[in-house]
Amino acid sequence: MPDSPFAPSLLLRTQLESHYRAHHGWLAHWLQRRLGNAAEAADLMQDTFARLLAGAPLQPQTPALRAPKAYLATVAKHLLINHLRRQSLERAWLAALAALPEQHMPSTEQRAQILQALQAVDAMLDGLKPKVRAVFILAQIEGHAYADIAAQLGIGERSVKRYMAEALTECVLLAPDLPA
Protein backbone atom coordinates (compact mmCIF):
# COMPACT_ATOMS: atom_id res chain seq x y z
CA MET A 1 0.00 0.00 0.00
CA PRO A 2 1.61 3.31 -1.02
CA ASP A 3 2.29 6.11 1.47
CA SER A 4 -0.10 9.04 1.52
CA PRO A 5 1.27 12.16 -0.20
CA PHE A 6 1.56 13.81 3.24
CA ALA A 7 3.36 10.99 5.05
CA PRO A 8 7.16 10.95 5.08
CA SER A 9 8.69 8.43 2.72
CA LEU A 10 10.21 5.27 4.14
CA LEU A 11 13.70 6.79 3.70
CA LEU A 12 12.71 9.96 5.55
CA ARG A 13 11.00 7.97 8.32
CA THR A 14 14.18 5.93 8.68
CA GLN A 15 16.22 9.14 8.89
CA LEU A 16 13.87 10.56 11.52
CA GLU A 17 14.12 7.38 13.58
CA SER A 18 17.89 7.50 13.26
CA HIS A 19 17.98 11.14 14.37
CA TYR A 20 15.75 10.30 17.32
CA ARG A 21 18.04 7.48 18.44
CA ALA A 22 21.15 9.61 17.88
CA HIS A 23 19.95 12.83 19.49
CA HIS A 24 17.23 12.19 22.06
CA GLY A 25 19.75 11.58 24.85
CA TRP A 26 21.69 14.82 24.51
CA LEU A 27 18.46 16.78 23.94
CA ALA A 28 16.87 15.38 27.10
CA HIS A 29 20.07 16.19 29.03
CA TRP A 30 20.24 19.71 27.52
CA LEU A 31 16.63 20.37 28.55
CA GLN A 32 17.09 18.83 32.01
CA ARG A 33 20.06 21.11 32.73
CA ARG A 34 17.88 24.11 31.93
CA LEU A 35 14.74 22.92 33.72
CA GLY A 36 16.17 20.96 36.63
CA ASN A 37 13.35 18.46 36.19
CA ALA A 38 13.79 15.17 34.31
CA ALA A 39 10.06 14.60 33.73
CA GLU A 40 9.49 18.08 32.27
CA ALA A 41 12.64 17.70 30.16
CA ALA A 42 11.41 14.36 28.80
CA ASP A 43 8.03 15.91 27.93
CA LEU A 44 9.66 18.82 26.09
CA MET A 45 12.05 16.47 24.32
CA GLN A 46 9.10 14.41 23.05
CA ASP A 47 7.30 17.63 22.03
CA THR A 48 10.39 18.65 20.06
CA PHE A 49 10.43 15.43 18.06
CA ALA A 50 6.65 15.60 17.65
CA ARG A 51 7.09 19.06 16.10
CA LEU A 52 9.58 17.60 13.67
CA LEU A 53 7.14 14.86 12.68
CA ALA A 54 4.16 17.22 12.49
CA GLY A 55 6.02 19.86 10.49
CA ALA A 56 5.89 20.51 6.79
CA PRO A 57 6.57 17.62 4.42
CA LEU A 58 10.21 16.71 4.87
CA GLN A 59 12.67 16.58 2.01
CA PRO A 60 16.32 15.50 2.26
CA GLN A 61 17.40 19.18 2.11
CA THR A 62 15.15 20.17 5.05
CA PRO A 63 17.21 21.75 7.88
CA ALA A 64 15.80 19.15 10.27
CA LEU A 65 17.55 16.45 8.25
CA ARG A 66 20.68 18.33 7.11
CA ALA A 67 21.60 19.70 10.57
CA PRO A 68 19.39 17.79 12.99
CA LYS A 69 21.16 18.80 16.20
CA ALA A 70 20.95 22.52 15.44
CA TYR A 71 17.35 22.21 14.28
CA LEU A 72 16.30 20.22 17.35
CA ALA A 73 18.07 22.67 19.66
CA THR A 74 16.24 25.59 18.03
CA VAL A 75 12.84 23.92 18.27
CA ALA A 76 13.52 22.79 21.85
CA LYS A 77 14.65 26.30 22.82
CA HIS A 78 11.38 27.79 21.54
CA LEU A 79 9.34 25.15 23.36
CA LEU A 80 11.39 25.75 26.52
CA ILE A 81 10.77 29.50 26.37
CA ASN A 82 7.03 28.90 25.98
CA HIS A 83 7.09 26.40 28.84
CA LEU A 84 8.92 28.80 31.15
CA ARG A 85 6.57 31.63 30.18
CA ARG A 86 3.56 29.47 31.04
CA GLN A 87 5.13 28.53 34.38
CA SER A 88 5.81 32.18 35.18
CA LEU A 89 2.27 33.13 34.29
CA GLU A 90 0.91 30.32 36.44
CA ARG A 91 3.05 31.41 39.42
CA ALA A 92 1.81 35.00 39.05
CA TRP A 93 -1.79 33.74 38.86
CA LEU A 94 -1.33 31.59 41.98
CA ALA A 95 0.19 34.57 43.83
CA ALA A 96 -2.80 36.71 42.83
CA LEU A 97 -5.16 33.97 44.03
CA ALA A 98 -3.35 33.73 47.36
CA ALA A 99 -4.00 37.43 47.92
CA LEU A 100 -7.77 37.06 47.40
CA PRO A 101 -10.08 36.88 50.40
CA GLU A 102 -11.68 33.45 50.84
CA GLN A 103 -15.16 34.67 49.82
CA HIS A 104 -13.83 35.86 46.43
CA MET A 105 -11.88 32.69 45.64
CA PRO A 106 -12.95 31.20 42.27
CA SER A 107 -13.80 27.51 42.04
CA THR A 108 -11.21 25.03 40.84
CA GLU A 109 -12.88 24.92 37.43
CA GLN A 110 -12.96 28.73 37.21
CA ARG A 111 -9.28 28.92 38.18
CA ALA A 112 -8.36 26.48 35.40
CA GLN A 113 -10.45 28.42 32.87
CA ILE A 114 -8.92 31.74 33.91
CA LEU A 115 -5.41 30.31 33.69
CA GLN A 116 -6.19 28.94 30.22
CA ALA A 117 -7.49 32.36 29.15
CA LEU A 118 -4.39 34.08 30.57
CA GLN A 119 -2.16 31.69 28.63
CA ALA A 120 -4.10 32.38 25.42
CA VAL A 121 -3.82 36.15 25.92
CA ASP A 122 -0.11 35.79 26.71
CA ALA A 123 0.41 33.81 23.49
CA MET A 124 -1.54 36.43 21.54
CA LEU A 125 0.53 39.25 23.04
CA ASP A 126 3.72 37.35 22.27
CA GLY A 127 2.64 37.14 18.63
CA LEU A 128 2.20 40.90 18.30
CA LYS A 129 4.87 43.20 16.93
CA PRO A 130 6.80 44.85 19.80
CA LYS A 131 5.30 48.35 19.30
CA VAL A 132 1.77 46.96 18.98
CA ARG A 133 2.27 44.95 22.18
CA ALA A 134 3.71 47.97 24.02
CA VAL A 135 0.78 50.17 22.98
CA PHE A 136 -1.75 47.54 23.99
CA ILE A 137 -0.17 46.97 27.41
CA LEU A 138 0.22 50.69 28.10
CA ALA A 139 -3.40 51.38 27.14
CA GLN A 140 -5.25 48.32 28.41
CA ILE A 141 -3.21 47.21 31.40
CA GLU A 142 -1.59 50.41 32.63
CA GLY A 143 -4.48 52.68 31.63
CA HIS A 144 -2.50 55.39 29.81
CA ALA A 145 -4.21 57.77 27.40
CA TYR A 146 -3.26 57.58 23.73
CA ALA A 147 -1.50 60.97 23.88
CA ASP A 148 0.65 59.77 26.80
CA ILE A 149 1.48 56.54 24.98
CA ALA A 150 2.44 58.46 21.85
CA ALA A 151 4.76 60.71 23.85
CA GLN A 152 6.25 57.82 25.83
CA LEU A 153 6.97 55.73 22.71
CA GLY A 154 7.93 58.63 20.47
CA ILE A 155 5.22 57.92 17.90
CA GLY A 156 2.14 59.80 16.72
CA GLU A 157 -1.32 59.35 18.18
CA ARG A 158 -2.45 58.08 14.80
CA SER A 159 0.09 55.24 15.10
CA VAL A 160 -1.13 54.50 18.62
CA LYS A 161 -4.69 54.17 17.28
CA ARG A 162 -3.54 51.97 14.41
CA TYR A 163 -1.53 49.74 16.77
CA MET A 164 -4.48 49.48 19.17
CA ALA A 165 -6.77 48.50 16.30
CA GLU A 166 -4.28 45.80 15.30
CA ALA A 167 -4.04 44.47 18.88
CA LEU A 168 -7.80 44.57 19.39
CA THR A 169 -8.32 42.70 16.13
CA GLU A 170 -6.09 39.95 17.48
CA CYS A 171 -8.14 39.94 20.70
CA VAL A 172 -11.36 39.52 18.72
CA LEU A 173 -9.81 36.68 16.71
CA LEU A 174 -8.69 35.06 19.98
CA ALA A 175 -12.10 35.36 21.67
CA PRO A 176 -13.66 32.18 20.17
CA ASP A 177 -10.77 30.12 21.57
CA LEU A 178 -11.18 31.39 25.13
CA PRO A 179 -13.16 29.37 27.66
CA ALA A 180 -16.71 30.56 28.17
Side-chain angles (χ1 to χ4, degrees):
M1 179 162 145
D3 286 334
S4 83
F6 301 107
S9 70
L10 180 59
L11 174 62
L12 291 174
R13 281 193 303 251
T14 303
Q15 284 182 295
L16 290 172
E17 289 171 12
S18 172
H19 290 324
Y20 181 84
R21 282 191 303 279
H23 302 298
H24 84 278
W26 76 260
L27 183 59
H29 180 71
W30 183 86
L31 287 163
Q32 186 174 348
R33 280 194 337 255
R34 282 152 182 78
L35 286 167
N37 182 314
E40 287 180 354
D43 286 346
L44 284 179
M45 188 264 307
Q46 292 296 341
D47 289 347
T48 301
F49 280 99
R51 283 278 170 100
L52 178 65
L53 288 171
L58 296 172
Q59 302 298 321
Q61 68 275 15
T62 302
L65 299 176
R66 279 187 297 119
K69 203 169 190 176
Y71 181 83
L72 291 169
T74 299
V75 172
K77 182 176 147 188
H78 289 238
L79 289 171
L80 177 62
I81 289 167
N82 288 339
H83 175 76
L84 294 174
R85 179 184 291 124
R86 279 191 311 275
Q87 280 186 331
S88 175
L89 188 62
E90 189 169 348
R91 281 192 303 273
W93 168 235
L94 292 174
L97 277 177
L100 284 177
E102 185 69 32
Q103 67 269 24
H104 297 300
M105 190 66 65
S107 70
T108 304
E109 182 180 332
Q110 289 170 325
R111 282 183 266 174
Q113 288 175 338
I114 293 168
L115 182 59
Q116 183 182 358
L118 286 171
Q119 289 171 340
V121 169
D122 178 61
M124 183 273 301
L125 288 172
D126 187 51
L128 295 176
K129 293 180 256 179
K131 283 220 176 170
V132 175
R133 181 175 46 247
V135 166
F136 181 80
I137 289 170
L138 288 169
Q140 296 298 309
I141 296 174
E142 297 184 17
H144 293 282
Y146 286 5
D148 296 336
I149 296 169
Q152 187 173 341
L153 297 178
I155 58 177
E157 267 190 76
R158 186 181 216 158
S159 292
V160 171
K161 290 176 185 176
R162 189 176 71 246
Y163 292 153
M164 274 303 296
E166 191 175 327
L168 291 172
T169 300
E170 288 300 316
C171 289
V172 168
L173 294 174
L174 172 69
D177 296 335
L178 294 177

